Amino acid sequence: MNGDMRELWVYLSTTPLLWLTLTLIAYQLGGWLFRRFGSPPLLNPVLTAVVFLVLLLKTSGTDYQTYFRGAQFIHFLLGPATVALAIPLYREVHAVKSAFLPIALALLIGALTGIFSAVGIGWLLGGEKAILLTLAPKSVTTPIAMGISEKIGGLPSLTAVVVVLTGIAGAVIGDVVLNKMRIKDEMARGMALGVVSHGIGTAHAIQRGRVAGAFSALAMALNGLLTAIILPFIAPFLR
């Protein structure tokens, strides 16, 4: 019986449908735990799903390439999902217009802080230039960050990992930090989450409310654009 189960697992583990299904189940499980225990930051659904899938891949001895053959269907939806964030933004377009200058200033400061904080920490830890370039777009949503990393000489696959970790960290501790700083304005909270932790932070902001979600989506999109423009000019000086 054990032999039959092992053969069945070996067969199923090579099929894309299995890993697609398990990824969706892991996220649904994370969402259920998040709601069941009162939405604590450490039970962020994305974090829970990542931990579950990493343990499963490690235990089963499945390599990432095999897993991604199934997960690529979800990866494909990143683009449409990002575009769909324009809907909550459109609903708050008047608030965006009224706060144009504060938004522009916050975006510029946030983008530069995101770049130089990552590069600075990497430099202090003795990172080589390729690593610094890999870390630089850490606060940009994954598809844009990977493109930027490839363009400036970083390692796109490693950039993707850093981006996801940044997003999870922002979603987990973002509210704690903002609460400690006594920032209650939903526009400001949304901007902070969008600039720092891109799509994952935006998904968390949308759970908070329409205003926070709209400003987080705006910050995520504009931060990606701004970083893509300024990083190629900064990259030659990163040594």
Side-chain angles (χ1 to χ4, degrees):
M1 186 67 177
N2 288 338
D4 292 339
M5 292 298 293
R6 190 186 305 276
E7 290 178 6
L8 178 62
W9 172 258
V10 170
Y11 169 72
L12 290 175
S13 65
T14 61
T15 61
L17 182 59
L18 173 68
W19 295 109
L20 172 62
T21 303
L22 289 175
T23 300
L24 295 175
I25 290 174
Y27 185 77
Q28 289 299 318
L29 176 63
W32 179 82
L33 289 172
F34 185 68
R35 294 186 297 273
R36 176 67 177 79
F37 292 97
S39 305
L42 287 177
L43 284 182
N44 181 276
V46 176
L47 176 60
T48 304
V50 168
V51 171
F52 174 78
L53 289 169
V54 167
L55 291 175
L56 183 59
L57 291 173
K58 189 70 175 177
T59 302
S60 64
T62 304
D63 59 74
Y64 178 76
Q65 288 72 24
T66 299
Y67 165 75
F68 190 71
R69 282 200 292 269
Q72 65 180 325
F73 300 108
I74 299 175
H75 184 266
F76 169 77
L77 294 175
L78 278 175
T82 302
V83 174
L85 290 173
I87 296 174
L89 178 59
Y90 175 77
R91 292 172 178 167
E92 301 296 329
V93 66
H94 297 296
V96 172
K97 289 180 179 179
S98 66
F100 176 78
L101 288 178
I103 288 173
L105 182 60
L107 178 67
L108 178 60
I109 294 174
L112 292 175
T113 301
I115 293 171
F116 287 111
S117 62
V119 171
I121 293 172
W123 179 77
L124 289 173
L125 294 175
E128 299 178 355
K129 183 177 181 180
I131 297 299
L132 302 184
L133 295 174
T134 298
L135 295 175
K138 69 165 180 66
S139 292
V140 180
T141 189
T142 306
I144 300 176
M146 293 180 69
I148 295 173
S149 179
E150 183 177 11
K151 183 73 174 179
I152 63 177
L155 307 172
S157 57
L158 182 56
T159 295
V161 175
V162 175
V163 167
V164 172
L165 292 176
T166 301
I168 292 174
V172 170
I173 68 173
D175 280 339
V176 176
V177 174
L178 292 170
N179 289 339
K180 290 290 186 182
M181 296 178 69
R182 298 182 180 178
I183 297 175
K184 301 183 183 296
D185 185 86
E186 290 299 307
M187 293 188 291
R189 295 178 74 100
M191 283 292 298
L193 288 169
V195 169
V196 172
S197 47
H198 47 82
I200 299 176
T202 299
H204 178 70
I206 289 174
Q207 292 177 337
R208 287 188 53 85
R210 194 173 76 177
V211 174
F215 276 81
S216 185
L218 174 67
M220 180 188 71
L222 294 181
N223 186 44
L225 176 62
L226 183 59
T227 304
I229 292 173
I230 64 178
L231 248 185
F233 293 99
I234 298 175
F237 301 99
L238 302 181
R239 301 186 182 281

